[in-house]
């Protein structure tokens, strides 16, 4: 939920119109393949998550093109930054997850917004649990986007997230 609200607030502050339903569904499903019941032993979590999005959105009755679009957002959120004019919803998922997970870009949000968001959706040990899942992914799937992030200072940034301090 926090990733969705961060991304939506970022777009709204810039006057950008986006597909709220598509972005919401992708935000809700984007890390599902990091969890044991949905883990793929061969695919990176974002790739597996894209496949899961296709399945779940088929259950919503979405046409194939829209299902593919949800999958694309999930895959692209782990790629290099995407310009909002190229693919707005993918950029919003990147902005939202970066702010929520590691605090990257958090300075773009007013503290009253972040206080309200975390009050409504508390982190409750999120950073430690997420780092554990992410590092497991990185160790089992060398060369994936998670392993590239884990090799840098990502875990330290995540564990020292400003919203967990204080």
């Amino acid at each position: 939920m926090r990733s969705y609200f961060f991304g939506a607030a970022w777009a709204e502050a810039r006057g950008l119109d986006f597909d709220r339903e598509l972005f919401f569904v992708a935000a809700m499903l984007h890390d599902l393949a990091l969890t044991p019941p949905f883990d793929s032993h061969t695919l990176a979590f974002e790739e597996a998550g894209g496949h899961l999005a296709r399945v779940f959105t088929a259950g919503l009755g979405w046409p194939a093109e829209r299902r593919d679009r949800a999958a694309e957002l999930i895959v692209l959120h782990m790629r290099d930054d995407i310009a909002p004019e190229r693919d707005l919803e993918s950029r919003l998922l990147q902005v939202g997850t970066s702010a929520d997970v590691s605090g990257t870009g958090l300075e773009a949000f007013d503290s009253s917004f972040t206080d309200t968001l975390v009050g409504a959706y508390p982190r409750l040990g999120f950073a430690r649990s997420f780092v554990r899942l992410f590092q497991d992914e990185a160790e089992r799937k060398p060369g994936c986007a998670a392993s590239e992030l884990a090799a840098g200072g990502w875990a330290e940034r995540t564990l020292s997230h400003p919203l967990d301090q204080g």
Side-chain angles (χ1 to χ4, degrees):
M1 292 298 290
R2 290 185 309 267
S3 292
Y4 171 78
F5 285 116
F6 275 123
W10 189 87
E12 289 165 3
R14 288 155 182 76
L16 301 172
D17 187 33
F18 61 99
D19 185 329
R20 289 179 183 276
E21 179 187 48
L22 175 67
F23 175 48
F24 179 81
V25 169
M28 294 304 102
L29 299 176
H30 78 276
D31 284 338
L32 192 57
L34 280 172
T35 64
F38 297 103
D39 178 45
S40 167
H41 295 285
T42 59
L43 296 176
F45 83 93
E46 67 274 16
E47 296 286 338
H51 292 298
L52 290 168
R54 282 186 186 93
V55 171
F56 285 117
T57 55
L60 294 173
W62 285 15
E65 182 177 293
R66 190 159 177 80
R67 294 192 309 261
D68 289 344
R69 185 75 177 104
E72 179 181 40
L73 266 66
I74 291 169
V75 170
L76 291 177
H77 96 280
M78 289 298 294
R79 301 302 185 260
D80 292 332
D81 283 351
I82 297 171
E85 59 275 4
R86 186 174 142 235
D87 187 337
L88 179 56
E89 289 80 12
S90 292
R91 180 64 180 149
L92 297 182
L93 192 54
Q94 288 177 327
V95 166
T97 58
S98 294
D100 184 45
V101 174
S102 67
T104 302
L106 199 57
E107 67 279 354
F109 302 94
D110 184 83
S111 63
S112 65
F113 168 79
T114 57
D115 291 347
T116 301
L117 181 59
V118 173
Y121 301 99
R123 291 177 59 83
L124 304 174
F126 168 78
R128 190 159 308 285
S129 296
F130 191 80
V131 165
R132 200 169 29 253
L133 290 169
F134 212 72
Q135 286 175 329
D136 177 63
E137 168 90 358
E139 289 169 13
R140 292 183 300 111
K141 302 170 190 174
C144 71
S147 83
E148 291 177 22
L149 276 175
W154 173 86
E156 294 78 18
R157 282 192 313 276
T158 299
L159 293 170
S160 62
H161 196 296
L163 297 180
D164 290 332
Q165 313 307 308

